[in-house]
Amino acid sequence: MTTSIYTRRFGRALSAVPGSVSTAETEPDWRDLASCLDLGALFLPKKEFGPESAARTTAAKKICARCPVLDTCLDNAMTTEYGYVENGRAGVRGGLTPQERAARYKRQRRKVPEPLTLIDQYLRRTEALDDGHVRWTVNTSYITFEGRQYTGAQLAWAVSTNRKPQGILRTACGLAGCVAAEHLTDEVMRDANNRYRSRQTA
């Protein structure tokens, strides 16, 4: 029985894609561990563009983010697509779209460093202390990332939560200046804690 590349995307059926790296059926294959196995219609759609393209790409990237072979998949894509122009690439592979992989290839050729992410900015400017505390290690009170300013606390919050803080961020651990994300609270959290304590003492 022949397996469609749209059914198993970059699984064993990847051998049907020109330039792909294939392995013998008797050998262990990293693609068998891929979270996208059997999700070919999402990752390698017959039509790359259209009104549903953005939502499809977002859904695919969320699956990639928790895939155990994400890095291997991206390495494979960059190897098999080596030198391809943007239009010669297809599907979401290794968490990147064809456009993102083409841009990555160009950066690699020019030896341009990968752009720092928000979490990179946080890790480069903080130091872990005892008891889960984190210290802000630079002299400036804020950084600018992609046109937006972040204090240390705001940066810690941004990399650890999916919502914007309400009101002022404060440390709840008692250590002044701590920027450990789990030690920060905003007004929403403080109001909830106050209501809880009120019910406990009522």
Side-chain angles (χ1 to χ4, degrees), residues 130-195:
D130 294 337
D131 299 324
H133 302 300
V134 176
R135 181 173 69 91
W136 186 248
T137 60
V138 294
N139 293 328
T140 56
S141 59
Y142 66 88
I143 68 162
T144 301
F145 181 77
E146 295 184 348
R148 179 179 174 184
Q149 291 185 343
Y150 295 86
T151 65
Q154 290 169 340
L155 189 58
W157 184 276
V159 301
S160 63
T161 64
N162 294 321
R163 67 177 179 85
K164 293 182 179 180
Q166 301 296 314
I168 299 174
L169 287 172
R170 295 175 180 167
T171 58
C173 60
L175 180 64
C178 178
V179 291
E182 60 271 24
H183 294 176
L184 297 173
T185 63
D186 68 347
E187 286 187 4
V188 173
M189 297 174 67
R190 291 191 292 272
D191 287 345
N193 289 336
N194 290 336
R195 288 194 298 271

Side-chain angles (χ1 to χ4, degrees), residues 45 85 106 141 180:
V85 296
K106 292 177 182 178
S141 59

